[in-house]
């Protein structure tokens, strides 16, 4: 949730006991802009949402549901999703005498949950949050341009939240989506084909110009992408007809993937101790 930096009470002529809060600053959530960002950035947003859902399902107050669960209730802070409006949050689990009382209705589909022996609809708050996360976030942000090695897992996660199957709970999603050191290779690596193209390695060198645009790119005026290793950079360069060279930087994304500039020529190379340039060898 939003970081609270401070608050104060004050009396107003119109409203007594007015509460003013000071919170961290976030950027409004624009879905169109998110769809144009890299998959890694979109995954980070979904991961932060999953962690929020897990907290809400197991909060000190009990299971919390967001009754007004829509993108406008969230903001982006340092690349992660945070909820800003808790006015419509509820910890009340619906009471029931039979399963038919545990009916959840959404625009696209409906669900009926089991009624527990205590007379409460089982996990209704958690299930409502999960399905809203599916229809507003996961279905748009997770599958599009995802690494091929992760698509089976992502399909399973999207189906679990969309169909409320046995894996449809916040704890399962948090465990499955959270990157770990042992799973780092699977998380970051894409399937890389062997390339026949030869490249000349030029250490401590950079190509300042010769940019071209590609999508998705971390740089709006050039082609800056993340790679697992040099082999993936070669595969990407070979896939673009205009790519004649690429430059490995010492910068990485939040998952540890290395940022690489792809260039359409190598006519002007300058010294740079923090970079390595690879130039395509032509016959």
């Amino acid at each position: 949730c939003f970081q609270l930096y401070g608050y104060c009470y004050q009396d107003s002529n119109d409203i007594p006991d007015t509460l003013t809060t000071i919170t961290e600053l976030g950027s409004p959530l624009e879905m169109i802009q998110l769809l144009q960002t890299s998959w890694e950035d979109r995954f980070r947003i979904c991961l932060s949402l999953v962690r929020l859902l897990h907290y809400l399902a197991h909060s000190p107050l009990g299971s919390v549901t967001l009754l007004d669960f829509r993108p406008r209730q969230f903001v982006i802070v340092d690349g992660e999703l945070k909820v800003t409006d808790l006015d419509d949050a509820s910890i009340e689990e619906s009471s029931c005498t039979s399963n038919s009382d545990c009916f959840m209705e959404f625009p696209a589909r409906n669900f009926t949950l089991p009624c527990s022996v205590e007379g409460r609809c089982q996990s209704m708050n958690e299930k409502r949050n999960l399905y809203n996360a599916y229809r507003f976030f996961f279905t748009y942000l997770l599958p599009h341009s995802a690494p091929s090695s992760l698509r089976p897992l992502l399909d399973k996660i999207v189906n679990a939240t969309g169909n409320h199957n046995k894996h449809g709970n916040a704890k399962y999603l948090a465990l499955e989506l959270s990157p770990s050191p042992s799973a780092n290779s699977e998380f970051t690596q894409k399937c890389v084909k062997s390339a026949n193209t030869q490249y000349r390695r030029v250490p401590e060198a950079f190509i300042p110009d010769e940019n071209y645009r590609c999508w998705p790119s971390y740089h709006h005026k050039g082609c800056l992408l993340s790679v697992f290793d040099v082999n993936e950079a070669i595969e990407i360069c070979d896939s673009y007809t205009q790519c004649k060279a690429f430059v490995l930087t010492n910068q990485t994304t939040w998952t540890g993937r290395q940022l690489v500039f792809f260039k359409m020529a190598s006519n002007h190379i300058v010294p740079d101790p923090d970079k390595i340039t690879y130039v395509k060898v032509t016959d």
Side-chain angles (χ1 to χ4, degrees), residues 204-209 247 261 263 268-272 275 277:
E204 299 186 356
F206 179 60
I207 303 174
D209 302 312
V247 181
F261 279 104
K263 304 288 184 174
H268 180 49
I269 299 178
V270 299
D272 191 321
K275 296 179 178 63
T277 293

Side-chain angles (χ1 to χ4, degrees), residues 65-84:
T65 188
L66 302 179
L67 298 176
D68 190 15
F69 194 116
R70 285 180 287 181
R72 70 182 186 184
Q73 307 289 5
F74 298 86
V75 295
I76 304 293
V77 179
D78 295 330
E80 297 194 357
L81 196 70
K82 296 196 176 186
V83 63
T84 62

